[in-house]
Every structure is written in structure tokens, then in C-alpha cells.
Amino acid sequence: MTTMKVPPQKAPAVSASPRARAVRRFRRNRLAVAGSAVLAAVVLVSLLAPWIAGHPNAVDLDAVRQGPSGAHWFGTDTSGRDIFARTLHAGRVSLLVGLAAALGAVIVGTLFGAVSGLFGGVVDNVIMRIADIVMSFPTVVVILVLAGIVGPSVTVLIVAIGLTQWPVAGRVVRGVTLSLRDREYIQAAEASGANPWWLIRKHIVPAALAPVTVTGTLAVAQAIMLETTASFLGLGVRPPQASWGNMLNDAQNLTLIQTMPWLWIPPGIAIAVTVLAVNFVGDGLRDAVTPGGRT
Amino acid sequence: MAVYVIRRLLVNALVFLLISVGIFVLVRAAPGDPVRMMVDPEQMRGGGAAFIEAKRHELGLDRSVVVQYGHWLKGALHGDFGSSYVGHRPVSAVLGERVGPTLQLMGAALAIALVVSVALGVAAAVRRNTAVDYGATVLGLAAVSVPPFFLGIVGIYLFSLKWGVLPSAGMTTPGGGGPADQLRHLILPGLILAFVTAGPFTRYVRGGLVDELGADYVRTAEAKGASRARVVLRHALRNSLIPLITVVMYQIPQMLAGAVVIEQVFAWPGMGQLAVSSIEQHDYPVIVGFALYVAILVLLCNLIADVLYAVVDPRVSLR
């Protein structure tokens, strides 16, 4: 790397690359930019939770059931645990599950979609039929049954969400693969003896990256929502580990709802803000990479 | 058409069998002993082990998984899903009495969601890229971003506890209440489920109408002097609602997932609440019954969606 400063170039409107055009479109989308900023803040605060806030399970017996104060910004719960610390630490779990599950769904979907598109025929029919059925199953019910039978855990959540959310990416990648199959460079690669794995790695994945990023981002929002829902139902992250969902579950009692709103407002707002931010970013990405933009 | 339906029915039957095998194997391989869960600790005193063995034999849990599955499938095909471990009543009866409340909740929510989403979707499509359009987009995103259980708690806090205008739980006031009382109980859970459902619907209505408004026949109708309202409502909207029919059918199973959560918040005595409490109690026959019920609902909705789509749109032919 040289230290020479490159003067900012004026991008000629005619020859802007698709990526440059997408970035520009994304930047013009106010909701998407705001979503990115909020999301960055949420990620940062969650990552730095151990340094910003205290231990999520530390019990302060002198301050049980106390409202927000200087010592406990969001107040304390019925056993004297700091709600601020719990909310921040819970964000780590939600983001982890969201990212891992979405990544799993995207990888499985990309593989199935590419195989479906490349091989066609019976393989394509069977995979797409399975995708249809999986997609129409309500994921919450699948998590419910799976967690109810195997026992709730973060692993079950990630696996269940990954297994039920892959068809979205699968369909997108299949579409990309089908449109690539007739291109000369793919046929040239095939003629030179490229095997399907090579085609997937070198040609399909790069071509599908933009649309898959969009579905992946929206899948993160979906996965965070599913994790918090499962945890709220007592079928996700298990106490005493804090999660936004199980914090709301802890507060689910008329007396607590009425007398200690600081128990349920922070985690509820945290879920809404995070999921909304991810959805704004995903929407902005979709409009940015779709040729023609928003219709 | 008939051939298509029959073929799809056969495929669905096969899928259903596969799902049932999957669920059954999963349940039998699960940790947690249902016999120990159901036995009263009093009975365990003294000859506890022998008692458990006898109970195990009575429930058929001592036989091989394959035999158990065959036995269970034979029963299931006759409408007998076994007995609940907890209440010792037939699963079909336990589930049956929960179907009504869930259907009532889902039906009310679906009706509200359709009215709201069509109105909002049309407004957004006609006033494209205005404040109305962006408002509808933000509202649609909020509907899938704000967790329904949080909305439920906020609703209970404001309307039940703070202002005391709406009940916080159940379908009726214990010991009394007519239709007006039932309606009051339905308002909060119904509106929240409707809000969650209306989000995706609004998106589809808007998208479909925007596409149709760009079609040639719309320009023709306008050129012939039809009013804007007539063009939108009589011409474009009718065509754009065709895809919505399939979307609604696909959304019904998803609504059931929403109902599970909302029933939990509002102590609504439906299937979702039953499923969650059955899981807490390791009541496997009820869990399996619930899972199979959802599977049937999903497969049926898919089939109806496909067939309806062809019925209302003559351009689609089924093979």
C-alpha cells in the first residue's frame, strides 16, 4: 500500500458498476441508512455489554424490584438483577442466533437451489416440492414441537430456524442458476470439464451473492423474531441466561405488568428496534440490487 | 383438473405419512419419561418400579417403535389419536374442544386484516411514493418487526390495567357475559393478530395493484374516459386481488403460529395454549395430535390455494 492520497474521482454516470450503482441507491434510501446506523449501535452495545454493564445475573439484594435509578438505569427485577445489564447481554444471544440461523439457512438454500437449477428434472422437482412444503409450515410450530420433544436449547433454535428458512434462498439461487445455465461462459466451463461443484463455487455463488445477501438479511430479522418468540414461550433460551424473549416471559403476570413496567418495556423495545432496523436494511438492499429499484 | 387434484391429494397423503413417521420417531426418541410425569408421587411409594412397569405396559410403551407406530397409525386413521397422559381423555376430544376458540380468533383477525390491508394497499398503490405509501410500508414492516407478545403486554397494560376498559384474559367473564362480553374479550387478541397478518397482505395488495396499473388495459380504459376510481376499483383491483387469494391460503398456517403466541398472552383457551401447556407436561399424544393437525391444515391450504388460483384465473392451467 502506498500512502499517496487518491483524489476522489467523480463517478461517470454511464460506466458505474452495478455495485457502485447499488451502493448509491442504498445510500439514497433514508430508511435503510437509518436502519444501518441503529443496527450498528445495537451490535456495538451488545458486543461491549460486559464492559458497559454489569453481570446479567448479579443479584443486588439491597435493590430488589426497584424502578429505574442512577445505580440501575432500567431498574431491577424481582430477584434484584439489573435490567440494563440483562437487556444488553440478551442482545448477544439474539444476534448470535439470528446470524447463525440465517447463515445456515442461506448455505443450505444456496446448495439446494444450485443443485436444483443445475440438474433439473426429477431432482429439481423433488427439491422444489420439499421447499414448498417446508416454506408453508409455520416455523413457530416446528420449533414448538422440536423444542418440546428434544428439549429447548439455543442449538435446537438455530437448527430449527435454519431447516425451515432455507427455501427462500433456495428459490432465489435456483432462479439465478437457471438464468446462468444458458450463458456461454458456463457452457464453456462445462465443455472444459468443470464439475457441478466447481460451477457452484466459481460461477453460481458469485452471481447469486447480491440477491442471497438480501434474503439472508431478511432471514436474520425473521430468525431474531423466532428466537424471541420461542424464548417467550419458554421453548428457547433457558433461564437464567437472559434473552429478550424470556425477560418478557418473566414479566408475564398481571401484577408485574402493572407495577413494574421497566421489566418488560426495555426487552420489548429492543426486539422491535433491532428487527425493524434489520428489515429496513434488508428492504433497502433489495431495492438497491434490484435493477430498476423500487416499483 | 380432476386428475391434477387427485394426483396432488396422493402426493399430499404420502407427505403426510412421512411427516407422521418423523414426528412419531422424534417423540419416541425424546428424553423425559411420560410415565414418571403422569404418576402421582403418592402411588410411587413402596412398589413404585412395578407400578411404572405396569403403566408402561398399559400404554404400550414397552413394545418396539415400529409396532407402536403401526398401532398408532391404525388408530389415527380411525380418528383415534390415543389418550392424553394428563387428563386421560381422548386426544381428539381434547384437541376438538380447542379448535373452536382458535378458529374464532383467527377468523376475526383474518376479516379485519383483509379489510384494512386492501384499503391501505390501494391507498399506497394509488398514491405511490407519497407519505401515504411510505407510511404503509413502515406500518407493514412494523407489523412483522414488533413482536405480537410485546404488543399483547402493552395492550393489557394500557387497556386492561391502566384504563380498565377491556378484559385481559380468557374468552368470557367467568360466571356470566353475553355476546357483548365475548366481543370485548375478542378485541385485543383479535386486533393484534390482525395487525400481524395485515402487514404482508398490504404489501401484496400494493405490489399487485402497482403492477396492474401499469398494464395496457388500464391505459385503454382511461383513454375511453373511465374515471380514475372506476379504473382502479373495477378494473385493476379485481385483477390484482387474484394472487391475494393464494397468499391468504398460504398465510392461514402462519396465522396459526401467531395465534399460538397470542393465546398464550391472553389465556385464550385455544389449540396454541393447549400445545404449549402439553409440551410443559410432556403430554406426547397431544403434541403429536397437534403437530398432525397443523400438517393437515398446511397441506390442505396449499392444495386449496393451487386449485383456487386456477379457478379464478382462467389463464392458469393445471396439469
Side-chain angles (χ1 to χ4, degrees):
Chain A
M1 270 287 257
T2 58
T3 50
M4 201 181 73
K5 244 188 176 172
V6 182
Q9 285 180 338
K10 250 191 200 160
V14 200
S15 62
S17 70
R19 178 170 305 204
R21 251 181 298 155
V23 168
R24 208 169 50 219
R25 266 207 292 257
F26 186 82
R27 280 204 181 145
R28 268 210 306 259
N29 186 334
R30 263 176 290 166
L31 287 179
V33 173
S36 319
V38 171
L39 188 60
V42 170
V43 171
L44 201 69
V45 166
S46 301
L47 283 181
L48 296 178
W51 293 277
I52 300 176
H55 194 277
N57 287 334
V59 172
D60 184 351
L61 285 176
D62 294 329
V64 175
R65 292 168 175 262
Q66 284 197 353
S69 66
H72 301 284
W73 291 357
F74 290 177
T76 57
D77 66 7
T78 47
S79 32
R81 295 178 299 189
D82 184 57
I83 299 292
F84 180 68
R86 288 180 72 71
T87 307
L88 259 52
H89 279 86
R92 304 171 73 123
V93 183
S94 290
L95 291 173
L96 171 80
V97 172
L99 281 176
L103 200 65
V106 161
I107 291 174
V108 174
T110 303
L111 276 178
F112 276 141
V115 166
S116 202
L118 272 183
F119 290 91
V122 183
V123 178
D124 183 29
N125 262 331
V126 170
I127 291 182
M128 281 302 119
R129 202 66 227 145
I130 295 174
D132 280 349
I133 292 166
V134 169
M135 200 139 86
S136 46
F137 262 91
T139 310
V140 170
V141 173
V142 175
I143 296 176
L144 205 94
V145 172
L146 215 61
I149 294 171
V150 184
S153 73
V154 171
T155 320
V156 167
L157 276 183
I158 295 175
V159 169
I161 298 172
L163 278 182
T164 47
Q165 299 294 314
W166 66 265
V168 186
R171 284 186 165 178
V172 169
V173 174
R174 175 176 176 270
V176 172
T177 310
L178 285 179
S179 72
L180 283 183
R181 220 166 47 172
D182 300 328
R183 294 287 194 79
E184 285 85 356
Y185 73 93
I186 298 286
Q187 286 168 350
E190 269 186 316
S192 346
N195 63 17
W197 182 233
W198 172 274
L199 288 179
I200 292 176
R201 263 190 319 146
K202 292 285 172 184
H203 296 300
I204 295 174
V205 168
L209 209 55
V212 160
T213 310
V214 174
T215 60
T217 309
L218 295 172
V220 171
Q222 184 82 7
I224 293 177
M225 196 68 157
L226 288 166
E227 179 271 319
T228 54
T229 304
S231 300
F232 171 74
L233 293 173
L235 299 167
V237 177
R238 287 165 127 169
Q241 187 180 15
S243 123
W244 290 332
N246 70 27
M247 286 172 76
L248 278 158
N249 187 16
D250 285 345
Q252 211 202 346
N253 152 332
L254 289 184
T255 321
L256 292 182
I257 291 177
Q258 185 164 27
T259 58
M260 297 168 66
W262 59 86
L263 282 186
W264 50 267
I265 292 177
I269 302 249
I271 303 171
V273 166
T274 309
V275 177
L276 203 58
V278 180
N279 271 329
F280 278 151
V281 173
D283 247 33
L285 283 175
R286 177 171 43 211
D287 291 346
V289 302
T290 311
R294 182 187 164 96
T295 50
Chain B
M1 179 82 175
V3 176
Y4 172 82
V5 173
I6 290 171
R7 211 184 61 203
R8 283 292 306 272
L9 273 176
L10 287 177
V11 171
N12 281 346
L14 185 72
V15 171
F16 180 72
L17 270 185
L18 285 178
I19 293 172
S20 76
V21 171
I23 295 171
F24 193 84
V25 169
L26 209 58
V27 168
R28 285 300 177 267
D33 190 335
V35 176
R36 279 177 195 281
M37 293 290 297
M38 62 186 282
V39 170
D40 182 2
E42 281 296 307
Q43 294 170 306
M44 293 279 284
R45 260 188 225 152
F51 181 80
I52 285 177
E53 270 321 301
K55 206 76 196 167
R56 208 180 280 283
H57 184 73
E58 186 191 315
L59 293 168
L61 289 175
D62 54 351
R63 286 184 282 180
S64 82
V65 172
V66 181
V67 174
Q68 285 185 46
Y69 175 74
H71 187 75
W72 170 79
L73 185 67
K74 198 176 136 202
L77 291 178
H78 292 88
D80 172 16
F81 291 98
S83 295
S84 159
Y85 289 161
V86 177
H88 302 285
R89 293 166 53 225
V91 170
S92 48
V94 174
L95 274 172
E97 66 192 24
R98 299 300 192 112
V99 173
T102 298
L103 281 185
Q104 191 187 337
L105 178 63
M106 284 171 63
L110 186 62
I112 301 169
L114 280 177
V115 173
V116 171
S117 61
V118 170
L120 207 58
V122 170
V126 173
R127 306 227 178 285
R128 235 172 94 193
N129 294 330
T130 63
V132 177
D133 190 14
Y134 287 117
T137 305
V138 171
L139 216 63
L141 276 175
V144 294
S145 303
V146 183
F149 46 90
F150 179 55
L151 283 180
I153 293 181
V154 172
I156 289 175
Y157 179 70
L158 291 179
F159 294 97
S160 309
L161 300 172
K162 208 163 185 171
W163 300 325
V165 284
L166 289 172
S168 66
M171 284 181 79
T172 51
T173 308
D181 179 61
Q182 285 190 20
L183 196 66
R184 270 161 41 85
H185 280 82
L186 187 58
I187 291 177
L188 273 181
L191 278 182
I192 292 171
L193 188 56
F195 177 63
V196 176
T197 314
F201 284 178
T202 308
R203 238 189 149 111
Y204 280 103
V205 173
R206 179 197 174 275
L209 192 56
V210 164
D211 286 349
E212 291 296 332
L213 284 175
D216 289 341
Y217 71 85
V218 168
R219 203 177 41 195
T220 309
E222 275 175 344
K224 288 169 81 174
S227 71
R228 181 74 177 153
R230 191 183 159 83
V231 170
V232 171
L233 297 178
R234 292 292 299 266
H235 293 266
L237 183 62
R238 276 179 69 139
N239 283 329
S240 74
L241 287 185
I242 292 173
L244 189 68
I245 295 174
T246 52
V247 172
V248 169
M249 291 315 292
Y250 281 123
Q251 278 292 320
I252 286 178
Q254 309 294 336
M255 278 186 84
L256 185 67
V260 168
V261 176
I262 287 167
E263 285 175 7
Q264 200 63 22
V265 177
F266 289 97
W268 191 265
M271 296 178 62
Q273 203 206 23
L274 174 73
V276 174
S277 67
S278 301
I279 286 167
E280 281 160 6
Q281 293 162 326
H282 294 264
D283 195 347
Y284 292 143
V286 177
I287 301 173
V288 171
F290 174 72
L292 290 181
Y293 189 92
V294 175
I296 292 174
L297 183 76
V298 166
L299 296 176
L300 215 61
C301 282
N302 277 3
L303 184 68
I304 295 174
D306 288 354
V307 174
L308 261 187
Y309 193 53
V311 172
V312 294
D313 190 344
R315 288 169 299 186
V316 177
S317 69
L318 298 175
R319 277 172 296 111

